[in-house]
Amino acid sequence: MTMASDGPLLKVEDLHVAFPGRRTMSDRANRRPVKVFQAVRGVSFEIRRGETLALVGESGSGKTTTARGLLRLTEPSSGTVTFDGIDVGTASGSELRRLRERMQIVFQDPYSSLNPRIAVGAAIAEVLAVHGIGGGRGERTDLVLGLLRDVGLGTEIAGRYPHELSGGQRQRVGIARALAVGPELLVLDEPVSALDASVQAQIINLLEDLQAQRGLAYLFVAHDLAVVRHIADRVAVMYLGRIVEIGDVDDIFERPTHPYTQALLSAVPIPDPAKERKRTRILLSGDLPSPADPPSGCRFRTRCFKHRDELSDDERQRCIDEDPPLHAVGGDQHSACHFAAPRTIL
C-alpha cells in the first residue's frame, strides 16, 4: 500500500449521500416516484495531519451523515473520499480493513455503543483480537490496561460493565477502544453532548492531550459552538446537507460572513454581562426545510434575515434563482452566500 505523506490526510470531494423515502399508499395509487432525501449535497473539505476540523450545524443539517459517509458506515451516493492518497470508496477486503484501522469513530452515546453484557476490558480486547494486535491473551491484557490508563481510567475499570460506569467513564472507554488499533484520524460524533458541563471539559482536555501525544487528526462533529472554539483549528458550517462556510476558527468566530453562521454565533452565550446586553440576537424564521424538497436557489433563503430585511428585490430574486457556490471571502475563509459580508457577533 502506497503512502502519500504529502498533502492532506483526508480529502473529501463532492460527497453526496441520499436515502429513499417511504412509499405511501397515495404514492402507489397515483404512481408517484418515491422522494429521495438528499442528506448530504456536494460536501468537500480537507483535514491535515494533527489538525481538528469541526463540523457544526443544527440537527438535521447532515453532520453525522457526512461523518458516517466518509467512513463508509453509510455508503455515499457519489463523490470521492481519499485517505492518505487511498480512495476509500474503491477499497475492499483487506485494504478497507487496514484503512479502518487508521480511521476510527467515537459515537455520541457511549452507553449504546458498548455491549452491556461484556466487561469493558473484554470489549477493548475484542477489538485487538479482531485486528490481530497482540501476540496472545496476556499481551492483549497489558495493552488493554495501558489504553485505560492513557484515557485516565484505573485498571480496575477493565472488569466492570457499562452500566457500572458514569457517562464520562463510558466515553473514555469508547475513546480507548477507538485508540486500540492506533488510528491517525478520529471521527468524533458529538462526543460530549450527552455529558455534564464539568465532564465535557475533562473529555475535551483528554482529547487535546491525546492529539498532542499521538499526532491525531480529528473530525469533530458538534452543535455546541463554545466547545468548538476551544478545540478546533478550522470550522465547517453545514446547513441542509451543504457546507455554507468554512475557514480558520478565529476567522469564523470573529468575522463570520454567512447569515446562517452569524445566526448560530449570536446564540452563543458571552460570559461578560455588559457585552451580552449590548449584543443583538439574530433570530431565524421558520423551520429547517425537508431534504426531500429543498428551496430553489439558496437553500437558506427561506430563513435568512438578510434575504428578508436587507436586500433589494433584484438581489432577492438572485437568491431564489441561483444556488451560491462556496467562494473565497478572504484568506482561507469561504462562504456560500451571494452577498457574504463580515459581521461582528461575539
Side-chain angles (χ1 to χ4, degrees):
M1 183 165 55
T2 302
M3 299 295 180
S5 57
D6 296 331
L9 179 65
L10 181 78
K11 187 173 184 178
V12 181
E13 297 178 281
D14 198 26
L15 185 73
H16 290 74
V17 182
F19 302 101
R22 290 185 178 180
R23 193 176 184 86
T24 65
M25 293 182 65
S26 175
D27 291 334
R28 294 190 184 95
N30 293 286
R31 297 183 178 180
R32 288 193 296 259
V34 176
K35 287 186 176 181
V36 175
F37 288 81
Q38 292 284 348
V40 177
R41 303 167 179 265
V43 165
S44 300
F45 59 83
E46 297 178 354
I47 302 178
R48 297 181 282 269
R49 288 165 174 78
E51 173 184 61
T52 298
L53 173 68
L55 203 57
V56 305
E58 61 194 313
S59 296
S61 60
K63 307 184 301 296
T64 293
T65 305
T66 298
R68 294 179 64 89
L70 65 90
L71 293 170
R72 285 180 60 188
L73 298 178
T74 299
E75 286 290 343
S77 309
S78 62
T80 305
V81 178
T82 307
F83 182 85
D84 200 16
I86 304 164
D87 189 337
V88 177
T90 60
S92 61
S94 60
E95 185 178 37
L96 181 59
R97 186 170 175 174
R98 287 195 296 271
L99 278 173
R100 285 180 169 163
E101 290 179 359
R102 303 175 68 191
M103 298 187 293
Q104 286 287 300
I105 186 168
V106 176
F107 295 99
Q108 177 181 1
D109 184 353
Y111 190 72
S112 63
S113 64
L114 295 170
N115 189 329
R117 299 184 178 183
I118 299 179
V120 297
I124 299 172
E126 183 180 42
V127 174
L128 297 171
V130 166
H131 289 273
I133 299 171
R137 182 175 297 179
E139 185 176 344
R140 287 183 187 133
T141 298
D142 291 340
L143 290 172
V144 167
L145 298 181
L147 286 163
L148 291 174
R149 285 191 290 266
D150 288 345
V151 298
L153 293 173
T155 55
E156 73 280 358
I157 295 294
R160 296 183 185 173
Y161 290 82
H163 72 273
E164 298 177 300
L165 306 180
S166 67
Q169 288 174 321
R170 285 194 290 264
Q171 194 59 286
R172 288 173 187 266
V173 171
I175 294 169
R177 189 173 58 173
L179 294 175
V181 292
E184 297 162 58
L185 170 71
L186 282 188
V187 175
L188 302 158
D189 186 9
E190 306 231 26
V192 298
S193 62
L195 305 176
D196 294 337
S198 61
V199 182
Q200 285 185 6
Q202 295 170 15
I203 297 298
I204 293 299
N205 289 336
L206 170 65
L207 290 171
E208 290 182 324
D209 290 343
L210 290 170
Q211 186 174 49
Q213 294 163 8
R214 297 171 179 249
L216 294 166
Y218 292 152
L219 176 63
F220 191 90
V221 178
H223 65 269
D224 188 333
L225 292 172
V227 171
V228 164
R229 185 161 200 182
H230 183 76
I231 195 171
D233 299 302
R234 291 189 301 127
V235 179
V237 182
M238 287 194 72
Y239 181 80
L240 205 62
R242 299 194 62 185
I243 291 177
V244 297
E245 188 160 15
I246 187 169
D248 291 342
V249 64
D250 290 338
D251 290 338
I252 295 293
F253 276 78
E254 294 171 12
R255 295 176 295 279
T257 65
H258 195 282
Y260 181 58
T261 310
Q262 293 165 357
L264 290 180
L265 289 174
S266 78
V268 177
I270 295 178
D272 186 333
K275 289 184 179 180
E276 183 67 38
R277 283 192 298 269
K278 294 178 182 178
R279 190 170 60 149
T280 301
R281 176 77 182 273
I282 299 173
L283 300 177
L284 299 180
S285 59
D287 298 320
L288 190 73
S290 168
D293 189 22
S296 64
C298 174
R299 288 169 171 81
F300 182 61
R301 65 175 174 81
T302 57
R303 304 174 70 196
C304 179
F305 65 90
K306 180 175 284 191
H307 179 83
R308 183 182 66 237
D309 302 328
E310 300 177 11
L311 301 182
S312 68
D313 290 343
D314 288 344
E315 289 171 332
R316 289 193 190 97
Q317 192 60 47
R318 185 182 180 190
C319 296
I320 294 170
D321 294 338
E322 299 179 27
D323 186 10
L326 272 174
H327 62 277
V329 291
D332 292 328
Q333 190 172 358
H334 291 70
S335 181
C337 176
H338 293 306
F339 308 102
R343 185 181 300 232
T344 301
I345 302 295
L346 299 178

